[in-house]
Amino acid sequence: MPTRIEEVKNFSVEAVTQSITRSLFAIGGGAIAPSDIPLLASKVAAWITSGPKRRDGQLRNIDFEHDFMRAQHMGPAAHSLIKLLCDVFAWRCREKGMATTAFLDFLVDPIIHMLAGRREYFNLALKRLLQNPADPTSVIQLMMDGPETERWFDPWAKYLRGLGVNFHASHHLTRLQIDRGKIVGATVKHRNGAAKHVDADYYVLAIPTDRIRDVLTPDICAASPGLRNFNKLYLSPETGFQLFFRDPLPGGLDFLGFNQSINEWYLALIGLSSVWDFDLREYGNGRAQGMISVELNYGALEMYPGDRYGKPMKELSKRQTLQEIRASIIKNHPDGRALFSDGNFAGWRNHPTIEWRNGWSVPDKRTASAPGTLQLYPKQETSIPNLMLASGSTRNSSGGDSMDGAAEAAKRATNAIIEHSGVREHHASLPYYGPPPELKVFQDEDDRRYLRGLPHIFDVVRPAARRTENYPNSR
Ligand SMILES: Cc1cc2nc3c(=O)[nH]c(=O)nc-3n(C[C@H](O)[C@H](O)[C@H](O)COP(=O)(O)OP(=O)(O)OC[C@H]3O[C@@H](n4cnc5c(N)ncnc54)[C@H](O)[C@@H]3O)c2cc1C
């Protein structure tokens, strides 16, 4: 990872290769076959310097693991590393087992933008990382000093209430009424069943793909045909559990994601109690000092059998689920056994996105970043002049449905309202989202090659597929 913008401007493939070799050793990747390093390095170098036309026309439409990285030709250790990246950052779609290469926009570009001073809100984190490059947890600590609910949402809600905003929680939008191309009202239903009519100047929908489909009736879609694209998007369950412990967590559990082997459960663990800046005993029954967040996606939930019971999680009882997670942590983490010894385990609970009714299910899904679908995410401005969209499942620059994507979408929806209504207000400011201009010379050259049907000049070992080669459920 570059630490100064000059290093980006003096980009060289040799530097990328050295950096990859160093990083692999730093993360204990000694098991990675030396013969895989040229392939990894050529891919990283090619991706960083790929042109906008190639990104839009090719990379957004192919699968990261097989079509781009060609991980099927790597040894098991390097292949697992690529899977780990996909599982943590890329929101594969279950049907195809694929994720677009575009998620890299959201991984590497922001670091270069930060170094160039274009992403102000990350600068503090970057300074912290540069002070202590060996300890990335210090950055996580800075960015997550407590639960989002307390640190972000409650103060934000208080601020908005102070400006006169009213929140009507526990109400669900059930219908929008349209007349002569404009929304003329909405029906919302309270949890107790009471329905209410809402009359507004502008309507902003910030609800996920699977829920918005219920509200987009044929008359609404006829007035704004782009909204039909919500039906073409794939969904992906993402969920998890919180595990509580009597004692503070051992040092090595600050942050840990692990992949057991290519087809086993993948669980991402974050030792949140070590990252958060407060004493957990102020919460709940006051007996827990340690807490681990366990996150998982459709692989563990629906596809792959766990070690102990030989079944995916959705087929396990609650007790079996806990046993399987426990066994997985003990097997994969050096401190795992101590964590569960001497009555240290104090309880657990599921994330609100997963429920157990004769088996686990995840009723609300994240929108998957499947190849070829990012272009289908509807724009915030619809063809209906007083209807805007503002969810992470709308067109954004972060490679899919994420918190950053949702924040960008909300700003774009706000700006659309300012423009439509003609009010004299400042627009919400949007950071620069394109590829880093420091690498423009390489990007322009790459786009020229792309238009001539040639692979990226650095993508020499096993060039990326021109279009997806379709590996059904290849995960
Ligand atoms: C376990 C997990 C881990 C994640 N980790 C990360 C991460 O590390 N980084 C990251 O960037 N993203 C992460 N995400 C994804 C991130 O949470 C979403 O991308 C983001 O919340 C999307 O924001 P949104 O406003 O579009 O939707 P949401 O935050 O899902 O909000 C939608 C809201 O709409 C409400 N709603 C639904 N239907 C209706 C209706 N008919 N009427 C009224 N309201 C309705 C829902 O109740 C919900 O409150 C994670 C998601 C999960 C589940």
Side-chain angles (χ1 to χ4, degrees):
M1 185 159 73
T3 51
R4 289 176 304 125
I5 195 67
E6 288 69 32
E7 291 174 37
V8 179
K9 290 180 186 157
N10 301 330
F11 176 87
S12 78
V13 183
E14 293 73 30
V16 171
T17 312
Q18 280 166 16
S19 150
I20 297 239
T21 313
R22 266 201 315 269
S23 318
L24 289 176
F25 278 107
I27 62 167
I32 291 183
S35 53
D36 286 337
I37 290 180
L39 179 53
L40 284 167
S42 67
K43 293 296 179 182
V44 173
W47 182 77
I48 294 175
T49 51
S50 60
K53 289 196 173 69
R54 185 185 298 281
R55 288 186 185 196
D56 282 349
Q58 181 184 3
L59 304 185
R60 288 194 188 310
N61 298 327
I62 59 173
D63 172 47
F64 174 72
E65 179 180 341
H66 300 93
D67 296 330
F68 180 68
M69 291 304 293
R70 301 295 198 189
Q72 66 275 34
H73 300 290
M74 297 177 184
H79 196 163
S80 289
L81 191 70
I82 300 302
K83 280 185 180 294
L84 179 94
L85 263 180
C86 287
D87 282 329
V88 177
F89 294 108
W91 329 301
R92 291 173 203 264
C93 91
R94 175 181 37 178
E95 290 81 351
K96 294 178 177 241
M98 289 181 176
T100 160
T101 303
F103 81 92
L104 288 175
D105 295 12
F106 156 84
L107 260 191
V108 184
D109 283 1
I111 295 171
I112 302 180
H113 291 315
M114 279 188 268
L115 290 169
R118 281 189 292 272
R119 290 282 167 95
E120 292 300 324
Y121 54 95
F122 270 143
N123 278 355
L124 265 179
L126 190 72
K127 269 192 202 133
R128 180 79 67 102
L129 185 67
L130 298 185
Q131 277 162 7
N132 194 359
D135 180 16
T137 49
S138 65
V139 175
I140 295 171
Q141 239 148 11
L142 182 83
M143 297 173 83
M144 302 167 53
D145 63 349
E148 283 102 330
T149 334
E150 286 188 17
R151 293 297 201 265
W152 291 355
F153 301 150
D154 293 349
W156 180 239
K158 190 173 160 201
Y159 170 75
L160 291 178
R161 282 198 185 96
L163 294 177
V165 170
N166 287 317
F167 293 97
H168 300 274
S170 305
H171 286 82
H172 261 70
L173 173 69
T174 53
R175 213 168 98 77
L176 288 171
Q177 289 92 38
I178 185 162
D179 187 29
R180 276 167 280 180
K182 273 190 86 175
I183 304 294
V184 291
T187 309
V188 295
K189 210 168 177 184
H190 190 264
R191 195 172 25 202
N192 67 17
K196 202 162 78 179
H197 179 80
V198 178
D199 192 14
D201 297 325
Y202 289 91
Y203 298 79
V204 182
L205 302 187
I207 52 185
T209 298
D210 43 353
R211 302 285 169 161
I212 206 167
R213 287 171 181 168
D214 299 338
V215 191
L216 298 176
T217 44
D219 50 349
I220 306 271
C221 289
S224 186
L227 293 172
R228 294 198 182 104
N229 278 357
F230 277 115
N231 294 321
K232 298 180 189 159
L233 300 180
Y234 291 93
L235 302 174
S236 180
E238 185 164 355
T239 186
F241 298 91
Q242 291 182 338
L243 270 53
F244 297 91
F245 300 92
R246 186 193 56 207
D247 298 333
L249 300 179
L253 271 164
D254 284 353
F255 175 81
L256 169 75
F258 58 76
N259 207 14
Q260 302 181 13
S261 76
I262 288 177
N263 277 346
E264 285 180 67
W265 283 25
Y266 170 79
L267 303 177
L269 307 185
I270 308 180
L272 284 177
S273 57
S274 307
V275 174
W276 289 347
D277 188 17
F278 60 69
D279 189 343
L280 208 61
R281 285 173 298 187
E282 291 166 22
Y283 293 79
N285 64 14
R287 289 209 292 268
Q289 294 189 76
M291 191 268 271
I292 292 181
S293 162
V294 179
E295 283 183 21
L296 52 107
N297 58 28
Y298 74 91
L301 189 72
E302 299 177 357
M303 288 182 78
Y304 296 112
D307 262 5
R308 203 179 158 107
Y309 295 99
K311 295 179 188 172
M313 185 182 285
K314 72 173 186 183
E315 294 173 24
L316 300 182
S317 68
K318 285 188 181 178
R319 194 187 60 81
Q320 289 171 328
T321 305
L322 179 60
Q323 293 301 327
E324 193 75 85
I325 292 175
R326 183 177 179 274
S328 173
I329 295 175
I330 290 175
K331 176 177 162 193
N332 288 286
H333 197 278
D335 292 317
R337 190 161 296 281
L339 206 56
F340 287 95
S341 64
D342 301 333
N344 189 36
F345 176 65
W348 71 313
R349 68 173 181 191
N350 54 294
H351 190 273
T353 48
I354 184 166
E355 58 188 30
W356 200 89
R357 286 186 195 157
N358 286 325
W360 294 107
S361 65
V362 178
D364 288 300
K365 311 243 181 349
R366 194 170 182 177
T367 304
S369 47
T373 59
L374 294 184
Q375 305 85 312
L376 300 175
Y377 280 40
K379 289 189 179 154
Q380 290 74 34
E381 235 179 311
T382 71
S383 308
I384 302 170
N386 64 343
L387 178 68
M388 316 293 164
L389 309 173
S391 75
S393 317
T394 57
R395 192 82 56 93
N396 67 74
S397 322
S398 72
D401 176 10
S402 70
M403 292 191 277
D404 251 13
E408 179 189 336
K411 291 178 183 183
R412 291 193 189 277
T414 305
N415 291 345
I417 294 178
I418 291 175
E419 272 162 31
H420 275 270
S421 63
V423 292
R424 293 163 68 85
E425 290 291 343
H426 291 300
H427 282 55
S429 69
L430 291 159
Y432 169 78
Y433 286 113
E438 285 75 16
L439 296 167
K440 192 164 177 345
V441 177
F442 290 99
Q443 290 157 3
D444 289 349
E445 169 59 15
D446 183 45
D447 274 347
R448 278 192 287 275
R449 288 179 63 89
Y450 169 66
L451 294 176
R452 286 178 9 235
L454 297 171
H456 193 295
I457 198 158
F458 299 144
D459 194 12
V460 283
V461 184
R462 286 188 186 271
R466 197 72 184 168
R467 56 189 60 80
T468 188
E469 290 173 358
N470 230 336
Y471 303 84
N473 272 327
S474 51
R475 189 179 185 283

